[in-house]
Amino acid sequence: MDHFLYRDGVLHAEDVPVADIAAAVGTPFYVYSTATLLRHFTLFDDALNGMDHLVCYAMKAASNQAILKTLAQAGAGMDVVSVGEYARARAAGVPGDKIVFSGVGKTADEIRMALTGGIRQFNVESEPEMEVLNRVAGEVGAVAPITIRVNPDVDAKTHAKIATGKSENKFGIPIARAREVYAMAGAMENLDVIGIDVHIGSQLTELAPFELAYAKVAELTVQLREDGHNIRRLDLGGGLGIPYARSNEAPPLPTDYGALIKRTVGHLGCEIEIEPGRLISGNAGIMVSEVIYVKSGEGRDFLILDGAMNDLIRPAMYEAYHDIVPIIEPAPGAEQAPYDIVGPVCESGDTFAKQRMMPRLNAGDLVAFRSAGAYGAVMSSEYNTRPLIPEVLVNGDQYAVIRARPTFDEMINRDTIPGWL
Ligand SMILES: *Cc1c(COP(=O)(O)O)cnc(C)c1O
């Protein structure tokens, strides 16, 4: 459920007509709903009620500081995957002890900055990383709290580019080698081994893979405790999927996911962390774009939008589906026609949808891409020297631009010309 609904025939973001924002900031742009962000965070938080827990928002999904602050004020921690994200979270007011550092390639510099700045834990992904962490912690006179990310060899049944829990993926250490690697970590002077981490992929639309993975983590917890490790925290990752095609998808609910967590690891007395990204911000954002031209092609009509693959890359990169709806609600039974919906970028990959049934649209009409709040703005680029599009946050009947569109001068002046030219 989200707060982008038609009211009196026009699409609203909470209480604000989307067309009003378009008139003020120009298209294309992203708009996020505070109520939807908070609703989704609270769903997770409530689903873990009765267990000591922290919901760490995986901020790579949408990392504008206004979004981070909204969630942090509601009690969220953050999962970061680079020191840039760490700095951004801190700038948004998130304390270090609520920030978890994940990622397969943390550099010594990144580790040093997070250690000296304050960090809840490092989720270590390999033995060489463990050695660097131990060395850097020694250099700065700190003890680094760690979990080790285990790869449970579970098929997440999701898109290959976002599956992370199979043995052939680059993530974590094979669960079969976990006891050996934990023993190495336990012997390292500057590490405090506090728990286990697992994250098997993104956009999971069934609970069964989580159940398999968490059962393996539970078993490992018992073994590691027998080996003498004080395992007291389990980071169970993120990955719960969202419905992109509203009409025919119903992924599992956070409540059922919470029940699964209690069932599989609840008896262990560990503090639970989860790292949802997509399910918190995905349906809390839409991308709004204007139809520039309606072009009749050979046997097909194209809707050419002012938004493009550089603004929302998911269709080009993951063959992702997004519901695309007109800002003006079509009359019931309105005539529909199939369109190829494309952007202006000079490659055929810049296609959002093929032969999508839409009400008849004209140049100047506005459309909204639903479920664009996760892995949307954060993955945008300036390809074709197109400015990064603005981000807007709505809260009830108020809205604010939370990232402005850069001017062409700002973009162009970032280049520097060498002296020999
Ligand atoms: C990407 C990622 C997440 C978030 O995944 P979602 O599918 O957005 O919930 C959580 N943890 C780690 C380690 C990740 O890499």
Side-chain angles (χ1 to χ4, degrees):
M1 205 220 101
D2 62 42
H3 291 78
F4 299 100
L5 300 172
Y6 290 113
R7 278 193 211 166
D8 304 323
V10 296
L11 191 69
H12 281 63
E14 302 191 14
D15 300 332
V16 183
V18 168
D20 287 6
I21 305 173
V25 308
T27 55
F29 63 90
Y30 282 98
V31 52
Y32 306 96
S33 152
T34 299
T36 313
L37 287 167
L38 291 177
R39 184 189 132 82
H40 291 158
F41 168 73
T42 305
L43 276 176
F44 276 112
D45 206 32
D46 290 351
L48 297 179
N49 248 340
M51 307 180 83
D52 187 8
H53 70 272
L54 183 66
V55 178
C56 293
Y57 169 59
M59 63 177 276
K60 71 174 194 268
S63 60
N64 190 290
Q65 287 176 64
I67 292 173
L68 305 187
K69 206 163 187 125
T70 298
L71 292 169
Q73 285 182 355
M78 296 292 152
D79 174 63
V80 308
V81 291
S82 72
V83 89
E85 284 194 346
Y86 176 84
R88 194 178 270 266
R90 295 303 303 266
V94 184
D97 63 7
K98 288 182 107 173
I99 301 177
V100 170
F101 201 157
S102 297
V104 71
K106 306 174 196 80
T107 66
D109 281 344
E110 289 187 304
I111 289 169
R112 188 172 294 108
M113 283 170 71
L115 257 183
T116 50
I119 191 85
R120 180 178 181 80
Q121 102 221 4
F122 292 91
N123 293 336
V124 172
E125 297 232 10
S126 66
E127 290 139 285
E129 180 193 339
M130 209 161 78
E131 282 161 20
V132 171
L133 184 52
N134 185 51
R135 172 170 61 75
V136 175
E139 283 164 14
V140 303
V143 173
I146 68 157
T147 72
I148 296 177
R149 179 170 177 177
V150 294
N151 186 326
D153 195 19
V154 163
D155 183 356
K157 302 208 171 76
T158 185
H159 191 283
K161 285 186 187 166
I162 49 176
T164 59
K166 282 290 283 174
S167 55
E168 69 261 29
N169 300 131
K170 68 182 175 185
F171 299 96
I173 55 148
I175 198 160
R177 291 197 48 236
R179 295 175 81 168
E180 179 195 335
V181 178
Y182 269 86
M184 287 168 56
M188 288 189 181
E189 218 173 338
N190 308 310
L191 302 184
D192 180 15
V193 180
I194 60 172
I196 306 173
D197 172 44
V198 69
H199 170 73
I200 56 175
S202 199
Q203 186 53 17
L204 271 71
T205 52
E206 328 173 8
L207 287 178
F210 289 116
E211 182 124 29
L212 283 172
Y214 297 170
K216 290 188 179 190
V217 168
E219 205 181 296
L220 180 62
T221 305
V222 175
Q223 291 173 347
L224 292 176
R225 283 176 172 168
E226 281 168 15
D227 292 347
H229 301 284
N230 181 8
I231 302 297
R232 50 205 189 270
R233 184 180 290 169
L234 300 179
D235 183 333
L236 301 175
L240 205 55
I242 62 171
Y244 280 99
R246 304 280 167 113
S247 48
N248 61 12
E249 285 176 23
L253 301 172
T255 13
D256 297 328
Y257 175 68
L260 183 158
I261 290 175
K262 286 180 190 169
R263 188 163 74 238
T264 48
V265 299
H267 58 289
L268 296 166
C270 287
E271 180 184 10
I272 301 299
E273 279 168 4
I274 53 171
E275 304 167 343
R278 190 187 307 268
L279 205 143
I280 288 183
S281 61
N283 285 331
I286 60 175
M287 184 180 83
V288 180
S289 186
E290 184 177 314
V291 177
I292 314 175
Y293 296 116
V294 182
K295 175 174 164 179
S296 298
E298 200 78 47
R300 57 180 66 209
D301 290 339
F302 295 94
L303 284 182
I304 302 177
L305 306 182
D306 61 359
M309 63 187 289
N310 69 297
D311 305 312
L312 177 65
I313 204 170
R314 299 191 65 261
M317 183 137 152
Y318 310 113
E319 293 91 40
Y321 175 99
H322 283 269
D323 279 340
I324 304 172
V325 299
I327 294 298
I328 307 292
E329 188 174 22
E335 189 201 345
Q336 295 210 328
Y339 289 104
D340 281 13
I341 304 177
V342 303
V345 161
C346 303
E347 56 176 280
S348 298
D350 190 20
T351 298
F352 291 120
K354 287 197 160 147
Q355 296 297 289
R356 180 74 64 88
M357 293 305 288
M358 297 283 289
R360 292 233 172 253
L361 289 167
N362 297 302
D365 288 344
L366 299 180
V367 296
F369 288 73
R370 289 190 172 278
S371 312
Y375 308 104
V378 284
M379 294 183 91
S380 57
S381 76
E382 293 180 345
Y383 187 39
N384 282 210
T385 308
R386 294 167 47 86
L388 291 185
I389 67 178
E391 293 181 287
V392 175
L393 182 63
V394 170
N395 184 20
D397 61 3
Q398 315 174 66
Y399 72 89
V401 174
I402 56 173
R403 183 182 74 187
R405 196 187 311 274
T407 65
F408 289 114
D409 278 349
E410 281 165 346
M411 294 166 64
I412 293 163
N413 291 341
R414 284 203 301 267
D415 298 352
T416 49
I417 308 294
W420 64 84
L421 287 175

